[in-house]
Amino acid sequence: LQEAADRLVPLVASARAAGDEAGWAKALVRQSQVATSLGGLETSVEQLKGQPWPEGSTSRAAVELYYAHALLEYLDGYDWEIRQRERVVSVAPNDKLDLKAFTAEQIAAEAEKSFLAVWERRAGLGDVAVADFPYLRSNDYPKGVRSSLRDAVSYLFVDRLLADSSFWSPSEANDAWQLDLDNLVAETPQLPPPPAAAHPLLRGAAVLADLERWHRSRHELGAELEARLARQRLLLQHRTSARDQAALRSDLERLLPRFRSDPWWAVGIAELAGEIDRTGIEPDRRVRARELALTGEKAFPGSRGADLCRELRSEIEAPDFALQIMAVDGAGRRSLEITHRNLAEIHLRAYAVDLSAQLAQKEFRGLFPAEDREIERLISSREPVASWSVALPPTADYMSHRTFAPPPLTRSGLYLVVASAERSFAKGHNRRVALPFTLSNLVLLQENQVFPWEVRLVEGSDGRAATGVEVTLYRNSWREAPSVVGTQRTDAAGRTTFAFPGVSAEYGYSNFLLVARRGDDIAAAQRYGGEPQPGTSPHTSALLFTDRAIYRPQQKLYWKVLAYATGRGRGALTAAPET
């Protein structure tokens, strides 16, 4: 690399002396790339800025674009450190560039100068093909769409800089929603007169509108539509209210018929259908989006737009389901909630989980199998105690709907319920969901998970206190099976309390588990985390009050702090003076 850097110095000088602007630009860019590879990104950018540049449109564009790119790469790579810098007195235009002193705003502004310098020369770039410009990787758009260097410069200017809100000032970020939307989508967006600075979003819209008009003057429908779609994407990204999104959809829908004869129209249809699907609020939005996608798919078979429309249609038509289940419920209850679309039925199995076997595991992870390999082993090696299917109502609107169903289980205990889209429950090309379920007449209520750990057991059917039920406290440390700390029975109110079990070095990091058992009925609760701290220890906290929610510049701020302490009794709060 160093040898390459040494050889490039005379190459730059000889190309400049010979007036070979293409070779000069190439040598400058390669020199900067080699210097960057040697580990000096700041030095390479400063070195590039400090040398004379060629003046020809294409050659100058190469150096300006690479310089802007290098600046933004530097900002991306050292973003956190750069954004800690404080702005210093700005340097004179002829002073040497010192990136180490530049803030993020100054670096972005410097990059914008280069983008703007190239864009202002755009008239001479329209006949240069991107494929003939060796400094950019060619895109895979069809010929005639984003094909020229003028296209590339405009899209890079917007996408790489103006559209990136991380380069905006706080006031610009706050003001984006207040810009006149009609002006942003106008044929020629109006910019404020100098010296007022136009908002980056407005400038981005103006750059893309200029490209749109240029392609229209050349009767290039596909490229014109792509410029319009790029403006649509830009505005959708930053104008996110439902009203603005609806207005932008309507504007695109109004414009698309003019491009019906060009294959790129199908791309516009795919984007319109996607926006209706993602941001629309109408109940039939997915039906409408699918119809649009189907129209675009059939209009120009084999085109990029047809592919996009087919992908969207397939996504809308794709079957899908999600499963939720009550953690604890009684027999015959509608414990299952199935969220589904485009699916005729769902298949379920219930596998019994042995409580004693789970508690005997040395690496105890919980009362239910949780890892994929454990669940797969259970499914492949055990017969389910119940298998059933639930017929699902049709979803003609292609939206997700909910269906509730009771598991056909009668014996209390722990279960793993597995749902499958395929009757075979095959692992591949299938959707499976596994969830834990406890069928029990006992419900364990807890007001906190600190010691003393107080719980209350009630009957699930009517909420009566479950008296005389045995409750066991276990401790485990991930390295060995849970060990019994103590066992108690609930009192007449269904309550029992476990005191702090003490700290022992042999336990180390511990978790705690409460298990209540009455015959086959089980109720459980877990406490995760390191060694427990007694809940009776007092602690202090504070509330901060201000006299209003919003302040204008120069207004006086009135504030007060209320410090308070928690006592040893539940709910005992007292002011904490002299704190």
Side-chain angles (χ1 to χ4, degrees):
L1 285 173
Q2 187 57 55
E3 184 180 357
D6 294 341
R7 291 189 180 193
L8 280 163
V9 174
L11 283 175
V12 171
S14 62
R16 179 188 174 194
D20 176 11
E21 292 206 335
W24 185 5
K26 182 178 180 180
L28 281 172
V29 171
R30 185 58 55 84
Q31 188 180 47
S32 184
Q33 290 171 332
V34 170
T36 299
S37 299
L38 282 167
L41 183 55
E42 289 172 342
T43 303
S44 67
V45 175
E46 292 168 358
Q47 181 187 46
L48 179 61
K49 178 65 173 177
Q51 299 188 70
W53 293 355
E55 290 296 332
S57 292
T58 307
S59 300
R60 182 74 175 204
V63 182
E64 292 275 16
L65 286 175
Y66 185 77
Y67 176 62
H69 168 75
L71 283 167
L72 296 178
E73 286 292 297
Y74 171 65
L75 181 53
D76 286 344
Y78 300 94
D79 183 79
W80 187 88
E81 185 272 325
I82 292 171
R83 292 186 186 275
Q84 309 306 308
R85 298 174 183 173
E86 294 184 4
R87 188 181 182 97
V88 296
V89 177
S90 57
V91 296
N94 295 326
D95 283 359
K96 181 182 176 182
L97 178 70
D98 184 9
L99 277 185
K100 292 184 176 66
F102 269 35
T103 63
E105 292 77 14
Q106 289 172 302
I107 293 171
E110 181 74 9
E112 185 172 348
K113 287 179 187 176
S114 280
F115 274 123
L116 191 58
V118 180
W119 185 75
E120 287 176 344
R121 298 180 178 216
R122 62 195 179 281
L125 306 177
D127 294 326
V128 181
V130 171
D132 296 334
F133 191 69
Y135 305 94
L136 294 173
R137 283 195 298 271
S138 295
N139 56 51
D140 60 354
Y141 284 83
K143 187 176 181 180
V145 179
R146 295 198 180 212
S147 294
S148 74
L149 186 54
R150 179 168 180 163
D151 288 291
V153 167
S154 300
Y155 289 124
L156 282 171
F157 191 11
V158 174
D159 295 342
R160 193 68 181 91
L161 189 72
L162 297 177
D164 190 340
S165 59
S166 69
F167 300 139
W168 297 1
S169 69
S171 62
E172 288 171 340
N174 288 334
D175 292 345
W177 68 274
Q178 299 185 73
L179 298 174
D180 182 4
L181 189 61
D182 289 338
N183 185 40
L184 290 169
V185 299
E187 180 178 337
T188 306
Q190 297 301 306
L191 302 177
H199 192 284
L201 185 59
L202 179 54
R203 281 182 283 156
V207 168
L208 295 171
D210 170 83
L211 185 63
E212 192 179 339
R213 291 193 304 274
W214 179 69
H215 283 298
R216 187 183 310 127
S217 70
R218 294 161 62 97
H219 308 289
E220 296 168 341
L221 281 178
E224 179 190 348
L225 176 57
E226 174 58 18
R228 183 65 185 206
L229 293 176
R231 188 163 28 148
Q232 179 86 355
R233 298 177 201 122
L234 171 67
L235 298 178
L236 285 170
Q237 178 184 354
H238 296 288
R239 298 296 290 261
T240 56
S241 72
R243 184 179 65 180
D244 286 350
Q245 300 259 313
L248 289 167
R249 287 196 306 271
S250 298
D251 186 68
L252 179 59
E253 194 166 8
R254 175 182 61 82
L255 290 169
L256 278 176
R258 194 169 71 79
F259 302 93
R260 182 63 177 80
S261 61
D262 192 277
W264 209 247
W265 170 85
V267 173
I269 288 294
E271 297 205 11
L272 175 61
E275 290 169 25
I276 291 172
D277 180 31
R278 287 187 296 273
T279 64
I281 59 173
E282 302 81 7
D284 65 341
R285 62 184 178 274
R286 301 210 91 186
V287 175
R288 184 165 172 242
R290 178 184 174 275
E291 290 173 351
L292 278 171
L294 196 57
T295 302
E297 182 181 352
K298 292 178 178 178
F300 296 96
S303 68
R304 175 61 179 154
D307 291 344
L308 291 172
C309 286
R310 185 180 63 254
E311 290 170 9
L312 177 61
R313 178 183 58 79
S314 300
E315 180 185 333
I316 292 173
E317 294 176 350
D320 190 24
F321 79 89
L323 191 71
Q324 291 194 89
I325 193 167
M326 296 289 290
V328 182
D329 214 348
R333 304 283 186 177
R334 297 196 309 167
S335 311
L336 283 168
E337 179 194 84
I338 306 161
T339 305
H340 59 94
R341 62 181 173 91
N342 309 329
L343 195 64
E345 62 179 352
I346 189 173
H347 310 282
L348 299 111
R349 294 175 181 174
Y351 296 88
V353 176
D354 188 333
L355 174 62
S356 299
Q358 290 294 112
L359 290 173
Q361 290 184 357
K362 286 191 175 181
E363 293 188 6
F364 178 74
R365 302 288 179 180
L367 293 180
F368 296 90
E371 297 183 1
D372 289 343
R373 64 173 183 271
E374 293 180 285
I375 295 172
E376 185 61 37
R377 186 165 56 245
L378 182 67
I379 294 173
S380 59
S381 64
R382 298 267 297 278
E383 285 295 319
V385 296
S387 298
W388 71 103
S389 298
V390 177
L392 302 173
T395 53
D397 57 1
Y398 301 98
M399 304 288 286
S400 293
H401 294 264
R402 294 188 302 165
T403 296
F404 295 89
L409 301 169
T410 56
R411 182 173 179 178
S412 294
L414 307 181
Y415 297 93
L416 189 73
V417 175
V418 183
S420 169
E422 297 291 337
R423 188 180 295 273
S424 65
F425 279 75
K427 187 176 182 181
H429 302 287
N430 187 22
R431 178 80 175 275
R432 295 191 313 190
V433 177
L435 293 175
F437 175 61
T438 301
L439 186 68
S440 178
N441 293 313
L442 290 176
V443 177
L444 186 148
L445 306 175
Q446 52 180 336
E447 295 187 4
N448 58 52
Q449 288 187 327
V450 296
F451 288 95
W453 197 353
E454 181 181 326
V455 296
R456 185 162 62 94
L457 280 175
V458 298
E459 303 290 347
S461 57
D462 55 16
R464 289 180 296 109
T467 62
V469 178
E470 183 180 90
V471 183
T472 303
L473 175 66
Y474 296 85
R475 184 204 301 250
N476 80 287
S477 60
W478 303 114
R479 295 189 300 271
E480 54 189 28
S483 58
V484 176
V485 175
T487 300
Q488 299 184 26
R489 290 189 177 275
T490 56
D491 59 18
R495 295 182 181 274
T496 187
T497 301
F498 287 89
F500 179 49
V503 177
S504 173
E506 65 182 285
Y507 289 116
Y509 187 94
S510 296
N511 296 316
F512 294 86
L513 170 70
L514 280 178
V515 179
R517 277 175 278 203
R518 186 183 62 192
D520 290 331
D521 289 327
I522 298 170
Q526 286 187 262
R527 180 191 184 280
Y528 298 98
E531 288 298 337
Q533 299 301 319
T536 54
S537 298
H539 68 273
T540 57
S541 190
L543 296 171
L544 173 66
F545 298 88
T546 57
D547 64 319
R548 68 193 76 181
I550 298 175
Y551 291 84
R552 303 184 191 280
Q554 305 303 317
Q555 281 187 325
K556 186 173 291 187
L557 168 66
Y558 292 93
W559 57 274
K560 65 180 177 181
V561 171
L562 172 61
Y564 63 92
T566 61
R568 293 187 176 275
R570 180 178 299 162
L573 304 178
T574 57
E578 306 299 327
T579 300

